[in-house]
Amino acid sequence: MPPTPRPRGLAVLPVVLGVAFVVALAVFPKFVESPYALQMMVLFFLAVIQGEAWNLIGGYGGQYSVGHAAYFGIGAYTVIVLLQSRGIAPWWGLAPALALAVVVAAVVGSLTFRLRGPYFVLASIAVAEIFRLAALNWKDLTNGAEGILLSEIPPLVVGGVLVTDFSTKVPFYYMGLALAVVTVLVTVWFQGSKLGYYLQAIREDQDAANSLGIPLTFYKNVALMISAFFTAFAGALYGLYVGFIDPQTALGLDISVQIVLTAIIGGIGTVLGPVIGAALLVALSEALRSNLLTDALIGSGVVDASSGVGQFLRDNLSHAHMLIYGVLVALTILFMPDGVLGAIKNQVRKRRTRAAAGGAA
Amino acid sequence: MSPGPAPILEIRQVSKFFGGLAANSDVSFSMSEGMILGLIGPNGAGKTTLFNCITGYYPPSRGEILFKGERMNGLTPDQVCKRGMVRTWQKVRPLAKLSVLDNVVVGALVRTNSVPEAREIAHEQLRVVKLDHKDGFLAGGLPIGERKKLEVARVLATRPSLLLLDEVMGGLNPAESEDIIQLILEIKERGLTQMVIEHDMKAIMRISDRIVVLNSGEKLAEGAPQEVVSNPEVVTAYLGEAHV
């Protein structure tokens, strides 16, 4: 049974479905006013942006950076510091924030991309930790461990017309949605471009890629710079949305891990993998945070609420997201190495093969 | 040698040391355009090391490599490829999770920035190696004979002027080897120069215009195929028991 050739162009059905999905998301706030629902959606969009951004260098390029918190934090800190201490509006502050992230990516890439495999991973973690420690100790600029509380975002006025005063979650919803759509489109372009081909060749076999005329470090650097750009953008949005940043929430290791997870759980090296991963992870982390999971366990009678186990879960499960993430990664890598999307595709392929075999018999 | 046109590749006293071990020492020879040079020698003679020096994977410890008159020492593999010299791997290195076509597209992209154009080149080269009917398959799923062909199609797509083939017949059955021999002769007809490492003596005798014999890193003999196999030193060092 020959495998079906994988089309690279845009098929009609996915485009129609994609547009319909985006339109539905665009009108969502008109019908749903619940701040809780909007909050979930904003977190989902932010996770999509970060997952897609990481996917370019990690999924397509196979360079598993576990230090993307550095770019996230650079985006958040630059915009917030400029706004809070210099009064520079965030839409102006965004330019230096993104530029800084891209420059840092170029420097970090040039230094660390000569390393391969686990050595590169360790170096990427170390770089992010350097930024976190710098934010922790450079108190004049970052206010150290106390973090920065944003007092207010100036209203956005274009040509005398008030666009938004940022008093609700709705403007953040649309910014998140727009940027998430852009990152997905960038990924579609990337996948069919020379850059995308070269990154995939590098992922599969660096020496072979090199012998075919691909300068490895250059192409890895370009992909990392694009990746850092969008990650920093997400960081800036996050900082403005939450209104508070400190070294742990903007530059912590768990941010890097969460970004990698989003892509791995969904399916790395695919356009939609990070979208699926983002939906699953945001839902899971909310279920943990709100003790939904514990309530479900107790409600279904699996665990007795008054027992020691029940008390323990109620007290601790909501803080155990890193532990659960760790278990998830192990399970994904063991049982679904191509992520949820890959597992679904494999199932569909198997069923088709079986159907074809059954039809032939 | 008679004063003909300048050689396309000149190896001048190339040595490569790993610590105290000389993997190549003082190797010199040259290739003229359009020829097939067979590089033979027992295991560990330094054939693949020489390939690695020529294509930029190792810098030679001493000596010089001139390609079309330009010094190659210190260039990286991608720079060597851009200048028109490209190698295959003894242990094939397919880009396993890419399709057969996309493997060749990657090679073609060194000469163009346009993916559609690279796809056209790739289709063309897959026809040359007779693998066009498998273009949608994942490269990792091909049997060894077809992987070797894919490897050749991929380097051809980089539009080289000199190909270095490292045991492209290794591990193949006689029918598959014959396919590759025909392919190498066809490539020669197109005017490409080829350096071929091969263990199969019959095959190397058939395709080579000239043969260089390496032994323990040194050049033991060089000449026309018949000359080389009748050289007593070569017989003892390399062909040994089989020809006694």
Side-chain angles (χ1 to χ4, degrees), chain A residues 29-334:
Chain A
K30 304 265 181 266
F31 297 100
V32 181
E33 283 176 3
S34 144
Y36 181 74
L38 290 181
Q39 155 104 353
M40 285 300 101
M41 293 307 285
V42 172
L43 293 180
F44 167 63
F45 294 146
L46 286 173
V48 169
I49 299 161
Q50 295 167 70
E52 292 285 355
W54 182 88
N55 196 27
L56 299 180
I57 184 68
Y60 288 98
Q63 307 301 306
Y64 280 39
S65 158
V66 190
H68 263 51
Y71 311 113
F72 186 83
I74 287 172
Y77 265 99
T78 311
V79 165
I80 302 285
V81 166
L82 286 177
L83 176 58
Q84 197 61 21
S85 61
R86 297 281 143 80
I88 295 171
W91 42 96
W92 301 119
L94 206 50
L98 301 181
L100 184 60
V102 170
V103 169
V104 168
V107 174
V108 169
S110 306
L111 292 173
T112 60
F113 273 140
R114 67 191 68 182
L115 303 171
R116 292 189 183 186
Y119 303 99
F120 171 76
V121 174
L122 289 176
S124 71
I125 295 174
V127 168
E129 281 297 282
I130 290 171
F131 279 95
R132 187 180 67 82
L133 290 171
L136 200 56
N137 293 299
W138 193 353
K139 295 202 173 95
D140 297 339
L141 188 72
T142 65
N143 208 19
E146 284 171 43
I148 305 172
L149 185 63
L150 200 54
S151 38
E152 63 164 355
I153 304 173
L156 176 58
V157 179
V158 178
V161 182
L162 177 74
V163 179
T164 175
D165 57 4
F166 298 101
S167 58
T168 66
K169 293 179 192 298
V170 175
F172 293 102
Y173 179 95
Y174 282 113
M175 284 191 289
L177 174 61
L179 194 58
V181 170
V182 168
T183 53
V184 170
L185 292 178
V186 165
T187 307
V188 171
W189 161 80
F190 179 90
Q191 184 169 270
S193 71
K194 178 172 181 170
L195 181 59
Y197 270 92
Y198 271 16
L199 263 294
Q200 292 183 72
I202 289 169
R203 175 189 71 205
E204 293 299 313
D205 190 325
Q206 302 210 34
D207 287 325
N210 202 198
S211 77
L212 294 170
I214 303 176
L216 304 177
T217 304
F218 175 81
Y219 278 95
K220 288 181 201 170
N221 265 340
V222 172
L224 181 64
M225 283 154 75
I226 300 174
S227 180
F229 178 91
F230 287 110
T231 309
F233 213 135
L237 274 186
Y238 169 85
L240 292 169
Y241 175 66
V242 175
F244 170 77
I245 51 169
D246 68 8
Q248 197 51 45
T249 56
L251 285 159
L253 179 61
D254 49 340
I255 295 181
S256 298
V257 173
Q258 211 160 323
I259 293 175
V260 178
L261 268 192
T262 306
I264 288 187
I265 288 183
I268 64 168
T270 58
V271 173
L272 289 181
V275 178
I276 293 170
L280 291 175
L281 267 193
V282 168
L284 175 73
S285 79
E286 184 56 20
L288 289 173
R289 194 192 59 80
S290 60
N291 254 337
L292 218 63
L293 203 63
T294 313
D295 292 344
L297 283 175
I298 292 171
S300 63
V302 177
V303 178
D304 184 4
S306 54
S307 72
V309 178
Q311 274 304 319
F312 179 80
L313 286 180
R314 198 174 276 290
D315 291 343
N316 293 301
L317 199 57
S318 59
H319 312 299
H321 62 284
M322 279 301 272
L323 174 75
I324 308 252
Y325 288 173
V327 173
L328 262 183
V329 176
L331 290 178
T332 312
I333 290 173
L334 277 176

Side-chain angles (χ1 to χ4, degrees), chain B residues 184-202:
Chain B
I184 291 175
L185 293 173
E186 211 182 306
I187 293 169
K188 184 188 174 178
E189 256 168 52
R190 291 159 177 251
L192 292 186
T193 316
Q194 299 172 80
M195 194 190 300
V196 181
I197 295 181
E198 207 50 80
H199 273 303
D200 180 348
M201 278 308 291
K202 267 191 203 143

Side-chain angles (χ1 to χ4, degrees), chain A residues 12-28 173 177 181:
Chain A
V12 179
L13 186 65
V15 172
V16 172
L17 286 177
V19 170
F21 185 55
V22 171
V23 170
L25 286 175
V27 298
F28 181 78
Y173 179 95
L177 174 61
V181 170

Side-chain angles (χ1 to χ4, degrees), chain B residues 90 143-145 148 167-174 176-177 198-199:
Chain B
Q90 180 178 0
I144 180 71
K148 296 266 183 183
E167 287 195 37
V168 269
M169 290 172 231
L172 300 190
N173 66 36
E176 289 169 332
S177 292
E198 207 50 80
H199 273 303

Side-chain angles (χ1 to χ4, degrees), chain A residues 1-6 8 192-194 197-198 200-201 203-216 219 338, chain B residues 57 77-78 81-82 86-87 89 93 95-99 102 105-107 109-110 112-113 115 119 136-138 154-155 158:
Chain A
M1 195 63 205
T4 42
R6 299 180 309 160
R8 281 223 169 244
S193 71
K194 178 172 181 170
Y197 270 92
Y198 271 16
Q200 292 183 72
R203 175 189 71 205
E204 293 299 313
D205 190 325
Q206 302 210 34
D207 287 325
N210 202 198
S211 77
L212 294 170
I214 303 176
L216 304 177
Y219 278 95
D338 297 322
Chain B
Y57 278 87
D78 54 288
C81 175
K82 286 206 180 81
V86 66
R87 60 96 56 89
W89 302 82
R93 290 169 169 267
L95 308 172
K97 285 190 179 163
L98 300 190
S99 72
D102 287 347
V105 167
V106 168
L109 281 170
V110 74
T112 171
N113 289 324
V115 172
R119 291 168 73 94
F137 280 64
L138 289 188
R154 204 167 65 178
V155 293
T158 68

